[in-house]
Amino acid sequence: MPLLTAAIRGDLRAALEAEVRDAARAMRRGVERAGREVQAELRAQARAAGFSDRGRAVANAWRLSLYPPPAAAPRTLRPAALVWTNAPRLVDAFDRGIPIVARGGRYLAFPTPYNAAGGRRGASARGGLRVTPAQMQAARRDAFVIRSKSNPSVRLWCLRVRAASGIARRARRLRLFVGPNAEILTGRRRGQQQRTREILAQGFVPMFFLLRQVSLRKRLDVAALRRRAPGILARALAAELGRRA
């Protein structure tokens, strides 16, 4: 007479499939959790790197892709998360701190504060230039290059003042125009009119700094986070699998 008997009740296959689905969901959550943590750290790096826009552009360029996609059923025990950037060259440059050299013996052009549209600080960084390099080239005789007095390695790409006019209601305010009818010095800062008169007497305005090369300071450390990523994933998986135990 047997001392112990055992029997399986219910559908064993269905029970095993349910167990696999639960494990797949937990692993999917763990991979997503790790991916979002890595993405958040990379974005925090960019915001703390000292970029002129407080790192918003580089931070927002970091994206997260999940496999299977969120809308799909998590039927795999091998989910994946890909953290990537849509500005890979920019990230690589600031991750390695490399020099940028102009091709063919030419110059790199950087807008001066006179070339910021609307007189807004940082406008040139957002693409709001009064005059573009192509317009400078088209200006021909109105555009010329001189050496900077403060730094001999820097050239100044200048435009001659083409016109000056006053405003009827505010006759004391001068308006200066350069290049393709671009107005400069449009702000309302103290001493602006004196500066306007000095530029008018000078007869030209530096619109771009020209340099042969610039050395980018290392501001990001993607490799360090890459080395830590396996540990982040392991902790996230352990936490999510532990929730279903």
Side-chain angles (χ1 to χ4, degrees):
M1 181 177 181
L3 297 178
L4 178 66
T5 60
I8 298 175
R9 296 173 180 266
D11 190 333
L12 177 60
R13 177 174 293 180
L16 290 175
E17 288 180 351
E19 190 71 15
V20 170
R21 283 196 301 271
D22 288 345
R25 292 191 186 98
M27 294 186 71
R28 172 68 164 67
R29 290 196 304 269
V31 166
E32 180 177 1
R33 179 173 173 175
R36 295 200 181 280
E37 183 174 342
V38 169
Q39 181 190 36
E41 289 202 27
L42 288 169
R43 287 183 166 181
Q45 265 192 30
R47 286 191 289 268
F51 293 112
S52 60
D53 65 343
R54 298 182 181 178
R56 286 190 295 267
V58 178
N60 292 338
W62 285 109
R63 305 300 175 87
L64 173 65
S65 297
L66 299 169
Y67 304 95
R75 297 180 180 274
T76 177
L77 294 175
R78 301 181 65 182
L82 174 64
V83 181
W84 55 281
T85 176
N86 59 14
R89 292 186 178 180
L90 184 62
V91 168
D92 180 62
F94 284 106
D95 187 34
R96 292 192 291 154
I98 61 175
I100 298 178
V101 182
R103 294 181 179 179
R106 298 182 179 180
Y107 289 92
L108 301 169
F110 300 91
T112 69
Y114 295 107
N115 209 3
R120 298 186 303 274
R121 183 177 181 182
S124 59
R126 299 190 296 270
L129 297 181
R130 299 177 189 274
V131 181
T132 66
Q135 290 172 322
M136 293 287 290
Q137 291 176 334
R140 296 184 180 181
R141 293 183 179 180
D142 285 336
F144 58 94
V145 176
I146 61 175
R147 189 187 298 270
S148 170
K149 294 181 180 179
S150 60
N151 188 343
S153 65
V154 177
R155 303 293 192 274
L156 301 177
W157 199 2
C158 307
L159 279 176
R160 290 186 173 85
V161 176
R162 295 186 59 183
S165 64
I167 300 177
R169 294 181 181 178
R170 306 172 70 177
R172 292 185 179 180
R173 182 166 177 253
L174 287 173
R175 300 175 64 189
L176 296 185
F177 296 87
V178 298
N181 203 35
E183 186 178 358
I184 62 168
L185 294 173
T186 57
R188 298 291 188 275
R189 296 180 182 178
R190 181 177 297 180
Q192 183 99 320
Q193 285 306 295
Q194 178 61 33
R195 184 61 180 148
T196 301
R197 292 186 179 89
E198 291 173 357
I199 292 294
L200 179 60
Q202 177 177 278
F204 65 89
V205 183
M207 303 299 285
F208 286 93
F209 299 107
L210 300 179
L211 297 93
R212 295 286 188 185
Q213 74 172 45
V214 293
S215 295
L216 298 181
R217 173 171 62 86
K218 179 177 174 63
R219 300 189 182 196
L220 307 173
D221 196 349
V222 179
L225 186 54
R226 186 182 294 114
R227 291 191 294 270
R228 292 177 43 233
I232 294 173
L233 176 60
R235 289 194 301 274
L237 288 174
E240 292 299 332
L241 288 170
R243 284 174 52 188
R244 57 179 293 277

